[in-house]
Amino acid sequence: MNRSEGLVQRKNVLRESNNDGSSKDLQGSDKKDERDEEVDDGDSKETRLTLMEEVLLLGLKDKEGYTSFWNDCISSGLRGCILIELGLRGRVELERAGMRRKGLLSRKLVLKNDNPTGDVLLDEALKHLKETNPPETVQSWIEYLSGETWNPLKLRYQLKNVRERLAKNLVEKGVLTTEKQNFLLFDMTTHPLTDNVTKCRLVKKIQDAVLSKWMNDPQRMDKRMLALIFLAHASDVLENAFAPLNDDDYELAMRRVRELLDLDFEQESVKPNTTEVLWAVFTAFTK
């Protein structure tokens, strides 16, 4: 899983404190669960992004407007983001561990609340979860949603054109634009960056989380930021956030990311006020 090698050129940037505060966990009513960690650092409503959109934005080349042709990880990574989003919004949870304390990957993902989220991709995944009986595990759902399953009966669960649909969401939010590019044999729709402020804010937020605002305790970290770091790493786009750092900060940031990757996810999942779906998805990407 460690992809901390291979970056050759980096430039120095000025790191300074800003007013980006961590989102507080919201507990209690279902309505609060829906908004769990969605109030994001004072961003305007128009530029508030989902985990899927943030991971895609990190992976997109700013000027070219498409992800690397060599990145074969981002597809499943985005499906992991969808499951975590549903967990953070109080729509799904893991079944009870039981007396025998079943592991995270053995426990089924069950529906907690089938109210629509208002996000088309999330609601499509929610519909599939609702229709599936008996329930399936987190790892199975990542495979089903990405279409990477040998079971032909499960292919209908695949979420199609996810990157393009997320890019269109970002176009609607004013972060990207849409262009047509010719690649000799075919034309391709691309989505170059148009709002550099939003991406810079996202990159700085990730940098701060592992540098100036490092908690040294995953349970104290903002759940959404913790998920973003893990899923960006699983999608092979995390280094794009660290590329502008100077060498010392880069090494420190990668060392702290490795500390998170080396955690005992089973142990973290049983601590108070945690989100088990979060740790189950992390486990699925490290097995």
Side-chain angles (χ1 to χ4, degrees):
M1 286 294 295
N2 290 335
R3 299 189 181 91
S4 57
E5 307 297 330
L7 239 158
V8 178
Q9 292 184 335
R10 294 183 292 276
K11 60 183 180 182
N12 296 340
V13 296
L14 178 64
R15 289 192 292 109
E16 59 184 19
S17 298
N18 63 9
N19 294 324
D20 289 357
S22 297
S23 301
K24 295 183 179 179
D25 295 343
L26 301 175
Q27 300 174 352
S29 67
D30 286 341
K31 188 173 181 180
K32 288 184 178 180
D33 284 340
E34 294 173 19
R35 299 196 310 265
D36 191 16
E37 317 231 17
E38 285 189 66
V39 180
D40 188 29
D41 308 321
D43 289 352
S44 69
K45 193 171 183 179
E46 290 72 27
T47 57
R48 194 174 301 149
L49 308 181
T50 64
L51 278 174
M52 304 88 75
E53 292 165 351
E54 288 178 325
V55 168
L56 180 68
L57 187 56
L58 285 174
L60 283 175
K61 301 174 184 292
D62 292 356
K63 295 181 179 179
E64 294 86 346
Y66 53 82
T67 57
S68 170
F69 294 126
W70 309 110
N71 187 340
D72 58 356
C73 302
I74 195 169
S75 177
S76 57
L78 291 172
R79 273 65 175 187
C81 290
I82 288 172
L83 296 183
I84 289 180
E85 276 281 2
L86 289 173
L88 291 177
R89 297 187 186 207
R91 298 308 195 278
V92 296
E93 62 184 356
L94 292 188
E95 65 177 350
R96 297 184 65 175
M99 295 296 291
R100 297 184 182 181
R101 296 299 309 172
K102 290 194 292 185
L104 290 169
L105 294 185
S106 300
R107 294 161 65 188
K108 309 296 187 182
L109 189 66
V110 297
L111 198 65
K112 181 180 178 182
N113 179 346
D114 63 357
N115 289 337
T117 65
D119 181 280
V120 175
L121 276 172
L122 293 180
D123 289 343
E124 187 176 335
L126 196 62
K127 180 175 179 288
H128 292 326
L129 281 156
K130 184 178 180 180
E131 293 174 349
T132 303
N133 190 28
E136 300 276 5
T137 64
V138 162
Q139 192 160 32
S140 293
W141 273 114
I142 292 173
E143 294 171 359
Y144 297 161
L145 296 175
S146 59
E148 298 175 358
T149 175
W150 293 101
N151 188 340
L153 298 178
K154 304 295 184 180
L155 288 174
R156 64 190 179 93
Y157 293 141
Q158 181 182 4
L159 298 179
K160 298 181 179 179
N161 303 317
V162 168
R163 269 177 271 191
E164 178 65 19
R165 291 160 74 181
L166 289 173
K168 287 181 177 178
N169 287 349
L170 290 170
V171 170
E172 291 177 1
K173 294 180 179 182
V175 180
L176 305 178
T177 188
T178 301
E179 294 180 357
K180 288 280 187 181
Q181 288 196 28
N182 182 270
F183 288 86
L184 295 180
L185 298 177
F186 61 94
D187 290 332
M188 186 173 83
T189 300
T190 61
H191 300 282
L193 185 70
T194 185
D195 179 5
N196 193 52
V197 173
T198 296
K199 184 161 186 177
C200 286
R201 186 186 294 122
L202 172 63
V203 167
K204 189 174 190 308
K205 185 170 64 172
I206 297 172
Q207 293 173 356
D208 287 347
V210 293
L211 293 172
S212 63
K213 296 183 179 180
W214 175 244
M215 291 291 189
N216 202 29
D217 178 3
Q219 297 296 330
R220 294 174 55 210
M221 289 183 68
D222 170 56
K223 291 187 183 72
R224 185 170 292 277
M225 175 51 65
L226 184 64
L228 177 57
I229 291 171
F230 269 98
L231 270 302
H233 182 274
S235 302
D236 202 15
V237 299
L238 183 59
E239 281 203 5
N240 294 345
F242 295 157
L245 295 172
N246 61 53
D247 286 350
D248 290 341
D249 283 347
Y250 175 84
E251 291 301 325
L252 179 58
M254 290 308 305
R255 184 166 70 246
R256 287 172 171 171
V257 169
R258 286 192 293 270
E259 289 176 17
L260 294 176
L261 295 171
D262 290 339
L263 289 170
D264 185 332
F265 299 155
E266 295 281 354
Q267 185 177 3
E268 295 296 329
S269 71
V270 300
K271 293 181 179 179
N273 301 319
T274 192
T275 302
E276 290 181 318
V277 174
L278 200 78
W279 299 104
V281 171
F282 296 168
T283 304
F285 279 104
T286 56
K287 295 299 181 184

